[in-house]
Amino acid sequence: MHHYLIDVGFLFRERNTYELKLCKRYAGLGYAKTRSHFRYNSKGDLIETRFPVRTKKGQEFIINLIKGNIKH
């Protein structure tokens, strides 16, 4: 699913961190909120990874996008 959403321009991966983010066109429209995941790397450093989590509004948008009701 992420690959499809990247291909249609809904998501992108930030170059230096590879974190998934909403494209500027869709940011701030209430389609996703950010969630953080914390882990320790092999050196013992605490690493935070942020990723978008779709909201109900975002799920409806993606369904309509897949059905072809919205042009990308």
Side-chain angles (χ1 to χ4, degrees):
M1 176 64 86
H2 288 147
H3 292 288
Y4 171 76
L5 294 175
I6 291 169
D7 289 345
V8 297
F10 187 74
L11 293 175
F12 74 97
R13 285 201 185 272
E14 194 159 57
R15 282 186 179 180
N16 57 346
T17 62
Y18 295 102
E19 291 179 9
L20 282 173
K21 293 188 175 186
L22 282 178
C23 291
K24 288 182 182 180
R25 178 178 178 185
Y26 301 108
L29 298 177
Y31 293 147
K33 55 186 176 180
T34 303
R35 193 171 283 167
S36 294
H37 173 75
F38 296 92
R39 64 178 176 80
Y40 288 97
N41 66 10
S42 60
K43 296 178 184 177
D45 300 323
L46 184 62
I47 304 295
E48 177 187 13
T49 303
R50 290 171 289 196
F51 55 95
V53 178
R54 291 179 287 278
T55 62
K56 180 74 173 164
K57 183 178 178 181
Q59 289 173 349
E60 292 169 359
F61 178 84
I62 291 168
I63 289 169
N64 286 320
L65 186 65
I66 292 169
K67 287 182 177 180
N69 297 337
I70 298 173
K71 293 185 180 191
H72 46 88

